[in-house]
Amino acid sequence: MAQQLAGSKTRGATGILRVLCLLFLCALAIAGRAADSRPNILLCIADDASWWHFGANGDTVCRTPTFDRVAREGVNFRHAFCSSPSCTPSRGALLSGQDFWRLEDGANLWSRWPSKFAVYPDLLAKAGYHVGLKGKGWGPGDFKQGGREHNPAGPAYKDFATFLKSVPPGKPFCFWFGSQDPHRPYERGAGVKSGHRIEEVTVPPFLPDTKAVRSDILDYYFEIERFDRDVGEMLKLLEQTGQLDNTLVVVSSDNGFPFPRGKATCYDAGTRMPLAIRWPPRVKGGKVVEDFVSLTDLAPTFLEAAALKPLPEMTGRSLLPLLTSGKSDPARDKVFFGRERHANVRASNVAYPIRAIRTSQFLYLRNFEPDRWPAGDPPLYGDVDEHLSIDGSPSKQAVVEHGDKPDVKRLFDFAFGKRPAEELYDLSRDPWQMNNVATESRYTETKAKLHAELDRYMIETKDPRASGKGAEFDRYYYVNYVTGNGAGKPVEAAPRNRAKP
Ligand SMILES: [Ca+2]
C-alpha cells in the first residue's frame, strides 16, 4: 500500500513536472515568436556624404540605385540633419540619441567615449538582439579608455555575410555598416575613369568652377557610388535569405562633403544628410517627408521598433509615428545642431564653437568665439580635410592658392575667413547660404526669435555653452595619432585629462 502510494506520488510529481516542462516550453516558444516578430535593424552610414548627391535627392550625375530604391520603397527624409558636422560627435549623437553637446569628451573629434552614455546597440543586445559592426563605427577616437571592450556601434565582424551566419536562430539582429566612403583621400581621376565627364558636374557657387574642382567632385561621386554598391550587396544578401522585409533598413551619412564650406561647417553642405528608411511591414513606401529630423532621432526609433522605451536622457524623438502614420508633425519644424573641436588646427588646440537652428526658411548660427579662425589657423586652414592639411584637396587648393584673385577672394573668405558672432541666411532668396543678413534691419525680428529659440533649446538640453561652461570642450583630450595641423604627434592634454578616466 505504502509502495502504491509512493508510486502514485512519484507518478503525480512526474505528471506535474511534465506539465511544468510543457508550460516552460510553451513560454519559450511564445518568447521565441515574440523575438521573431521584432525587426532586424540595419544602419548603413556613409562617411562625409552630403544630402544633394544622391539620385533620389535630385542628383542626375551620381548613380545611387540602392539609396534610390530604399527611398522609393520606403521613406525619403528631405530635411534630416546630423547633430554635428564631424565624424566622432555625429556618430556619438546617433548612437546615444542625444545632442552632441551633452556627450562631454564625445563632443569632439578624436575623443574618448565616456562609457556612462548608453548607446542603442548595447540596449538592443541586452534585449536579445545579436549585434555587429563592419567598418567605421563610433570614431575616430578611443573607446577603450572609457572602459569599453568593443566599439559602441557593436563588436566588429569581417563582413556582413559572416555576421549573418553568426546570428543564432530566432534572434533578431542589429548591424552597423560604416563605410569609409566618400571620406578623403581620393584616387585622383577615379570619377572620370569610371565613365563620368567633368562637363556633367554642377559646382556649388561657394567653390571655384575649375576643371580640378569638377574632377575632385567626380572622385567624391565615385566613392558614393561604391558605398551605394556595397549597401546594394547587403540588401541582396538579405533578400536571398528572406530577411529583407523584416529588416528596418536605414541609409544615411555622418556629415557633409569634405570640401570648403562643407564638412566641419554648420551650413547645409556640412549638416544636411541623406536619410532613407525602408521597413515594408510597418512603413508604406514611396513617401517623401519634409519634416525636420535629426540623426539623434534614430536611436529612439530603433528602440521603439524593438518594443523598447527610449531612455529619458535621449533628446532625439522616435521617427516611428512619422514613418507609420505618414502624417506631418507640426512640432518638427526646426532642428538644432552645432560643433566644437574638429581637427587640431588652432593654437592651443581650441575649438570653433557654433550652435545653430535650421527652419524651412532660415539658418541662424551663433559663433561663440568669432576671434578664432573657423576653418583653422592660417596658413593651413586645416579643418576642412584635417589629415590632408599638408597637401590639401584639389578643391581646397583651388580656393587657397588663388585666394588673392578677385573672383576667388570672396570664396576664400567664405571658406576660411573669420565670421561674425551671428549669421542668418534667408533660404527663400539664398539657398546656398552665402549672403549673411544678420545685420539687416528687416530681419531683426526673425533673428531675435531664432536666437531665443536656440537659447531655450540649449538651456533645456543642458548645453555647457548655455551656462558659460563652454571652455570645457577645449580641455578634453585629443587622441590624435594621425596628424594634427601636420604635426603628427599626440596633443598634450590638459592636466585633469591626463589621468585615466
Ligand atoms: Ca565623416
Side-chain angles (χ1 to χ4, degrees), residues 47-48 87 136 183 254-255 263:
D47 192 356
D48 293 6
C87 306
K136 182 169 171 178
H183 198 289
D254 65 344
N255 57 257
K263 178 177 181 176

Side-chain angles (χ1 to χ4, degrees), residues 155-464:
Y157 281 78
K158 182 171 150 265
D159 52 37
F160 188 47
T162 309
F163 170 78
L164 280 184
K165 281 182 200 150
S166 76
V167 182
K171 264 200 170 193
F173 71 76
C174 165
F175 193 75
W176 172 298
F177 168 52
S179 172
Q180 299 210 10
D181 292 334
H183 198 289
R184 292 184 185 275
Y186 301 151
E187 182 196 332
R188 301 260 173 119
V192 170
K193 270 188 229 156
S194 73
H196 286 301
R197 292 179 300 114
I198 61 167
E199 300 78 37
E200 296 173 330
V201 178
T202 303
V203 179
F206 51 82
L207 293 175
D209 190 350
T210 66
K211 272 190 176 176
V213 171
R214 283 168 172 262
S215 185
D216 199 23
I217 291 174
L218 284 180
D219 294 347
Y220 156 77
Y221 280 3
F222 172 80
E223 298 215 351
I224 291 184
E225 291 174 353
R226 188 164 58 192
F227 163 71
D228 194 78
R229 277 197 302 278
D230 288 345
V231 177
E233 289 299 316
M234 295 170 69
L235 298 194
K236 203 189 286 175
L237 267 180
L238 288 176
E239 246 169 351
Q240 285 165 351
T241 53
Q243 299 181 84
L244 181 60
D245 283 355
N246 194 35
T247 300
L248 197 166
V249 176
V250 177
V251 188
S252 192
S253 171
D254 65 344
N255 57 257
F257 77 162
F259 287 71
R261 215 168 162 92
K263 178 177 181 176
T265 78
C266 287
Y267 308 113
D268 276 15
T271 54
R272 191 175 177 185
M273 296 290 95
L275 177 65
I277 301 182
R278 181 189 187 278
W279 186 25
R282 296 278 304 275
V283 178
K284 201 164 165 259
K287 279 192 300 201
V288 173
V289 170
E290 300 287 349
D291 294 44
F292 281 71
V293 304
S294 165
L295 297 191
T296 56
D297 296 332
L298 290 176
T301 305
F302 297 155
L303 294 180
E304 259 196 15
L308 296 169
K309 270 183 111 171
L311 302 182
E313 63 265 36
M314 290 182 167
T315 51
R317 286 178 296 142
S318 169
L319 298 171
L320 278 197
L322 269 185
L323 287 165
T324 55
S325 74
K327 284 184 194 151
S328 176
D329 176 353
R332 290 191 181 272
D333 59 348
K334 56 189 165 301
V335 72
F336 301 89
F337 44 83
R339 57 157 285 174
E340 285 295 332
R341 188 169 64 219
H342 184 64
N344 167 30
V345 289
R346 290 172 205 89
S348 308
N349 193 23
V350 292
Y352 191 82
I354 309 174
R355 296 293 183 271
I357 174 172
R358 170 78 153 82
T359 66
S360 60
Q361 190 180 345
F362 294 104
L363 171 69
Y364 170 73
L365 307 173
R366 274 178 72 190
N367 299 316
F368 285 82
E369 299 285 352
D371 291 336
R372 296 179 187 171
W373 291 93
D377 289 347
L380 291 174
Y381 310 107
D383 236 6
V384 177
D385 36 15
E386 71 276 9
H387 69 274
L388 288 168
S389 51
I390 297 167
D391 58 349
S393 65
S395 295
K396 184 175 164 184
Q397 273 175 327
V399 181
V400 172
E401 289 177 5
H402 305 288
D404 52 343
K405 291 182 185 165
D407 56 332
V408 184
K409 172 79 170 66
R410 181 167 172 257
L411 304 185
F412 178 90
D413 289 341
F414 276 139
F416 308 118
K418 288 189 178 174
R419 297 171 190 152
E422 289 183 299
E423 295 173 70
L424 177 66
Y425 298 94
D426 180 347
L427 278 74
S428 65
R429 298 155 179 265
D430 177 24
W432 294 102
Q433 303 151 7
M434 296 176 73
N435 182 30
N436 180 13
V437 295
T439 55
E440 289 188 20
S441 56
R442 62 182 162 151
Y443 290 103
T444 303
E445 205 176 308
T446 300
K447 193 177 77 172
K449 186 171 166 276
L450 293 170
H451 184 124
E453 284 205 60
L454 181 56
D455 265 358
R456 191 162 51 239
Y457 187 74
M458 288 169 63
I459 292 165
E460 185 188 310
T461 55
K462 298 188 171 54
D463 184 342

Side-chain angles (χ1 to χ4, degrees), residues 344 390 480-491:
N344 167 30
I390 297 167
N480 178 6
Y481 47 85
V482 175
T483 61
N485 219 359
K489 289 177 187 171
V491 173

